[in-house]
Amino acid sequence: MDFIEIIKALILGIVEGITEWLPISSTGHLILFENLLTLNVSAEFMEMMRVVIQLGAIMAVVILYFHKLNPFSPKKSLQEKKDTMSIWFKVIVGVIPAGILGVLFDDWFDAHFYNDVTVAITLILYGVLFIVIENRNKGRKTQINSFKDLSYKTALYIGLFQVLSLVPGTSRSGATILGAIILGTSRHIAAEYSFFLAIPVMFGASALKLIKFGFSFTGAELAILLTGMISAFVVSIIAIKFLIKYIKNNDFKAFGWYRIVLGVIVIAFFILFK
């Protein structure tokens, strides 16, 4: 097995770990890096890895929020256990729209939207929206500052925003955070709810891709996949902690400007090198 391929997988995992949680589109970044660091694997394996590598990232959420999301913790009171179950019920409500449409139209979205033009447009579009919405909300008091304040109706609406992320370049975290802010949640709750929504969504999407690909990996393919997942896990822990600390004193406009710049870079890259 070529050591260089492992290094490439390590870098892709780092990119995934950073960009999965920040609202800047992991897909947009992976498209760029996949072209710069092309893995010597089949197109089918790469399509599968692009999704399954997210399992490493999602395990970071499971570890960091294990106590908060564990309704069976003996350290919690009966009321705290009920509150935890309430969070999970709201997560389930939130994933229903994307879950249904993802199963039905996964191949269709890949076939029609997984291209540089779509990614560049969505990067720029949602970058502009972040800036506009943050400017509009400047000085406004948020209405939802805890998960107790988050109604099932609002959870469903945020889940509908998550459907937008089926289009590559949108960013799953970007769509859910943007939608949550529009609906009146604090940035902290918007970010955490986005993290929690990712757990069933990513496990489901990964299972779907693995079933389609099959489980007959070569030794080299397995090593590449595991390397990407492990590096995504480690970097995700850092990225999640950074985001939660960052939004205590900052808004999301910086990510909006970053998305716009990246979108322009994606367009320039494919004009010059494709």
Side-chain angles (χ1 to χ4, degrees), residues 211-232:
I211 291 169
K212 289 181 179 179
F213 179 79
F215 293 88
S216 55
F217 298 105
T218 65
E221 288 174 338
L222 186 59
I224 288 170
L225 183 60
L226 289 176
T227 298
M229 290 172 63
I230 292 170
S231 60

Side-chain angles (χ1 to χ4, degrees), residues 238-253:
I238 299 170
I240 291 169
K241 288 183 175 180
F242 163 78
L243 183 61
I244 292 300
K245 184 177 181 180
Y246 176 85
I247 60 178
K248 287 181 179 179
N249 300 306
N250 300 277
D251 59 26
F252 286 102
K253 284 193 287 187

